[in-house]
Amino acid sequence: MSSTTLDQNTKQPRSLKPSKASDPSASAGSLKESLLSRTGAMLIMGIFTLYFLIPIWWLFVASSKSQGQLLTTNGLWFADFNLFQNIGDLFAYRDGVFLRWMGNSVLYAGLGGLVATIIAGMCGYALAKYRFPGREVIFNVVLGGVLVPATALALPLFLLFSQAQLTNTFWAVFLPSIVSPFGVYLTRIFAAQSVPDELIEASRIDGAGEIRTFFTVSIRLMAPALVTVFLFQFVAIWNNFFLPLIMLRSEELFPVTFGLYAWNTQLNQVPELRPYVLIGALLSIIPLIVTFLLLQRFWRSGLGTGSLK
Amino acid sequence: MTTTSTVAAVPRRRRVVQHKRAIAFFILPFGVLFTLFYLIPIGYAIYQSMLVVERDGTFGEAQEVFGWFQQYVLVFQNGPFWRSVGRVLLFGIVQVPVMLGLALLFALLLDSPLVRGKKFFRLAFFVPYAVPGVIAAIMWGFLFSPNLSPFTAVTKNIDFLGADLVLWSIANVVTWVFVGYNMLIIYSSLLAIPTEIYEAARLDGAGQARIAWSIKIPLVRPAIVLTAIFSIIGTLQLLAEPQVFRSFSSAVTNTFTPNMTVYATASVPNASLAAAFSVVLALATFILSFTFLKFTQRKEAE
């Protein structure tokens, strides 16, 4: 476990924000870079910006159209702007089942991500900061867990939950989501680097217990890693497809992605659903984009942490 | 691994473990949940995969009995399953290098002085990662469809959802979602390289392309290996995108990918065969990413 990358990342020798000062080549090397390679580089970036953003732009435009104009007007530009009316229709459709799905997703992913992060953080911290027999065994088993694909667990989880008669419940999706072996791995490495033993010792001399020290002192120093773990877990749960597919039958328990999938499969029989699928898709990605933007200061410094060898 | 034997051999000569209660408090919640929702399911999948159904005569009552590896013989004879494995392998051989090649190219461009407006590009390329696979597949399903697409001129003439191209249309969805994410991982490891390293090369007259090829790429190898392993794992697990595409294309069968085969088999219901598929798939994933890791490490040592 060499930790050079992590070390450099925590110290952040170069800011992630590209500024003139942090980019020495901007002044010294600029003469050498010909106009041709600059234009070429910008052209590549420009073309791919279109590739990445046009689908989302199309979704936004399509969401603002009425059912009739969806098929008859230019897909990349607005017709009559009906976005808010469409949103209203979607929220009213079938007693607001879409809002229910959004709420479910927030609960599964938000609460689940939070619980997963705290539990993984506690375990990673203990593995990094305490010496006890079996420590390496536990860590190696957890590390093996990182390599087990989550989808391989979906089927046995279903079989086990059905024996406990817990399929088609909130818990069937929630409980498996709060286990993050990757979180333990990441927080252990981060805690070993960023929480000094002297600080824990000082806290002990002040009379604080171990648990209190963790929740008042250490957890703050581990914040960048914890936010990264939360984000990964949040995204993983929000995007999880196999578990709801195999566990849930009742519509009122669906997360939003799965609900939209269910509508999408009915499109051939019920074409009226099409605008709802499109507007729902647009609305369902907004919470993720907002979460990423709000927390980007954290995950940008945490992302590289995973690339340890 | 060495610690395992030390612990077993000399437990009593060690110092008394301090803060036992705190350690238990920190470790138990994860330990219990990990056991319940990782270890037990894995064990149960293996157990279930060894059960076979037996009947007393043709009309006798069906009974599950322990049959060792009989299910696995069926797995190896199962044509649709291996066709689905072959399909995702083909997918991975093409899609993973294309995706990581693009991610590396963008990361290098962002790290070079050639590009202005880096903050904007970084965000614009990363936004698709915030789109769940199901939603991305729904969006692209519409964009590829011959009637609804804003590019009907293209989609009416090229059948993106037909049997020939649908695999690559799905590859496009996966690439669209994950390029920016992989780009950021590689980019942040590029940023961690101290700039002094480039100065000597620049004094020697090396251009950006040469610096990228000879200095930057070798130094970000660990990040590239990591993204490659995650991508290989992801490819073998493909489920949401092809499952969504079934609504748009009749060419996507219910055994299109290994995980879809697992789901279809479990719905039959044939839990034992589905469990055996799951075990084989998990093992294959593990072996493939492990081999890749070892292979790249050995190349590095040379």
Side-chain angles (χ1 to χ4, degrees):
Chain A
M1 292 278 158
S2 95
S3 52
T4 32
T5 331
L6 177 77
D7 221 25
Q8 285 158 350
N9 258 318
T10 40
K11 281 183 206 150
Q12 298 228 340
R14 286 157 74 193
S15 153
L16 276 151
K17 283 190 193 115
S19 64
K20 284 272 151 59
S22 70
D23 198 354
S25 46
S27 51
S30 57
L31 288 173
K32 238 179 281 165
E33 268 65 71
S34 70
L35 193 66
L36 195 70
S37 23
R38 273 171 194 285
T39 321
M42 287 306 276
L43 204 65
I44 293 174
M45 296 307 264
I47 289 170
F48 277 95
T49 305
L50 292 180
Y51 170 69
F52 288 118
L53 294 186
I54 279 182
I56 296 174
W57 170 252
W58 168 81
L59 185 65
F60 179 63
V61 170
S63 303
S64 74
K65 289 180 180 170
S66 64
Q67 168 86 314
Q69 288 175 326
L70 201 55
L71 288 159
T72 50
T73 56
N74 176 4
L76 293 179
W77 198 248
F78 301 102
D80 298 333
F81 195 79
N82 283 328
L83 180 66
F84 297 105
Q85 196 200 324
N86 288 344
I87 292 176
D89 289 349
L90 171 69
F91 286 175
Y93 182 68
R94 302 247 303 265
D95 302 325
V97 72
F98 178 79
L99 283 176
R100 167 110 203 195
W101 292 343
M102 284 294 265
N104 288 343
S105 272
V106 169
L107 212 57
Y108 289 130
L111 188 65
L114 197 68
V115 175
T117 307
I118 295 169
I119 291 172
M122 282 174 13
C123 186
Y125 174 77
L127 290 174
K129 286 294 152 189
Y130 295 95
R131 307 191 59 80
F132 55 93
R135 183 172 79 147
E136 292 306 314
V137 181
I138 294 177
F139 187 62
N140 284 326
V141 172
V142 172
L143 213 54
V146 176
L147 289 180
V148 175
T151 54
L153 293 171
L155 175 74
L157 280 171
F158 170 75
L159 299 173
L160 284 168
F161 272 78
S162 59
Q163 298 216 330
Q165 311 224 315
L166 280 171
T167 54
N168 201 24
T169 60
F170 171 80
W171 305 107
V173 174
F174 184 79
L175 287 177
S177 307
I178 58 176
V179 194
S180 167
F182 177 71
V184 174
Y185 163 74
L186 204 112
T187 49
R188 181 204 172 151
I189 290 168
F190 200 86
Q193 300 273 328
S194 64
V195 185
D197 287 333
E198 295 79 18
L199 203 70
I200 302 176
E201 206 53 57
S203 181
R204 264 174 210 148
I205 292 167
D206 286 347
E210 301 300 312
I211 294 163
R212 197 166 144 209
T213 305
F214 173 76
F215 282 105
T216 52
V217 181
S218 312
I219 210 167
R220 282 180 210 191
L221 296 169
M222 290 164 68
L226 292 175
V227 174
T228 310
V229 172
F230 173 77
L231 266 170
F232 272 106
Q233 200 62 15
F234 183 87
V235 172
I237 303 173
W238 192 279
N239 293 354
N240 198 347
F241 181 71
F242 208 170
L243 211 53
L245 176 72
I246 208 163
M247 291 284 192
L248 301 180
R249 292 286 166 269
S250 316
E251 204 177 59
E252 68 269 15
L253 292 171
F254 287 179
V256 65
T257 50
F258 192 67
L260 290 171
Y261 161 77
W263 277 355
N264 193 60
T265 54
Q266 297 164 28
L267 277 189
N268 291 329
Q269 293 85 42
V270 198
E272 309 86 270
L273 279 173
R274 189 176 294 127
Y276 296 139
V277 171
L278 293 174
I279 303 151
L282 180 71
L283 294 183
S284 78
I285 60 181
I286 290 172
L288 282 171
I289 293 180
V290 169
T291 312
F292 270 110
L293 290 182
L294 285 179
L295 298 177
Q296 62 168 322
R297 187 162 62 88
F298 293 98
W299 56 258
R300 282 207 313 234
S301 60
L303 255 186
T305 325
S307 59
L308 296 170
K309 269 213 310 180
Chain B
M1 284 298 163
T2 43
T3 8
T4 326
S5 51
T6 347
V7 171
V10 285
R12 252 159 238 138
R13 261 186 284 158
R14 278 202 154 185
R15 265 183 307 162
V16 183
V17 179
Q18 286 179 316
H19 314 296
K20 265 187 195 157
R21 274 196 201 161
I23 295 171
F25 174 84
F26 287 135
I27 296 210
L28 272 184
F30 183 82
V32 169
L33 290 166
F34 185 75
T35 309
L36 279 176
F37 301 119
Y38 262 81
L39 298 181
I40 292 179
I42 292 170
Y44 191 76
I46 295 170
Y47 166 74
Q48 178 75 45
S49 72
M50 293 188 177
L51 297 181
V52 284
V53 175
E54 250 176 33
R55 286 169 199 274
D56 300 326
T58 324
F59 302 104
E61 207 171 299
Q63 235 183 345
E64 281 192 320
V65 293
F66 200 76
W68 289 105
F69 295 102
Q70 290 183 31
Q71 268 330 320
Y72 290 89
V73 178
L74 296 179
V75 169
F76 284 101
Q77 292 165 349
N78 193 298
F81 178 71
W82 292 105
R83 272 196 292 282
S84 69
V85 171
R87 200 173 287 122
V88 290
L89 285 180
L90 177 66
F91 180 102
I93 288 167
V94 177
Q95 190 266 340
V96 174
V98 168
M99 174 178 69
L100 294 184
L102 285 175
L104 178 64
L105 173 71
F106 299 148
L108 288 170
L109 283 175
L110 279 182
D111 194 53
S112 79
L114 298 173
V115 170
R116 295 267 165 272
K118 297 179 183 196
K119 206 175 171 180
F120 167 76
F121 287 124
R122 210 178 53 212
L123 261 183
F125 286 25
F126 186 67
V127 163
Y129 182 64
V131 179
V134 174
I135 307 296
I138 291 177
M139 255 163 51
W140 279 100
F142 280 112
L143 290 173
F144 281 135
S145 82
N147 302 316
L148 286 161
S149 173
F151 309 105
T152 39
V154 181
T155 54
K156 273 204 160 76
N157 293 312
I158 303 172
D159 187 9
F160 286 105
L161 300 170
D164 293 337
L165 282 180
V166 74
L167 186 66
W168 310 115
S169 301
I170 295 171
N172 171 66
V173 179
V174 177
T175 307
W176 183 79
V177 171
F178 285 103
V179 163
Y181 167 76
N182 289 311
M183 172 195 82
L184 269 191
I185 291 184
I186 299 170
Y187 181 54
S188 55
S189 102
L190 277 171
L191 288 178
I193 302 171
T195 41
E196 299 86 66
I197 293 180
Y198 308 135
E199 262 152 41
R202 204 168 274 127
L203 286 176
D204 287 344
Q208 286 301 323
R210 174 107 186 115
I211 292 175
W213 183 257
S214 310
I215 303 176
K216 289 181 178 177
I217 293 181
L219 282 173
V220 296
R221 261 185 82 105
I224 300 172
V225 170
L226 183 90
T227 53
I229 291 174
F230 282 158
S231 308
I232 292 171
I233 295 176
T235 305
L236 281 167
Q237 309 309 316
L238 263 185
L239 174 75
E241 293 85 355
Q243 185 75 26
V244 169
F245 263 56
R246 294 195 68 197
S247 318
F248 297 105
S249 162
S250 55
V252 183
T253 58
N254 69 344
T255 55
F256 198 72
T257 72
N259 262 329
M260 288 168 77
T261 315
V262 171
Y263 178 62
T265 314
S267 327
V268 167
N270 188 345
S272 291
L273 187 59
F277 284 149
S278 277
V279 172
V280 170
L281 190 59
L283 272 178
T285 313
F286 186 81
I287 290 168
L288 211 65
S289 42
F290 191 77
T291 316
F292 184 75
L293 189 70
K294 284 288 155 217
F295 179 72
T296 46
Q297 273 174 348
R298 203 184 52 195
K299 255 185 109 179
E300 211 158 2
E302 272 167 13

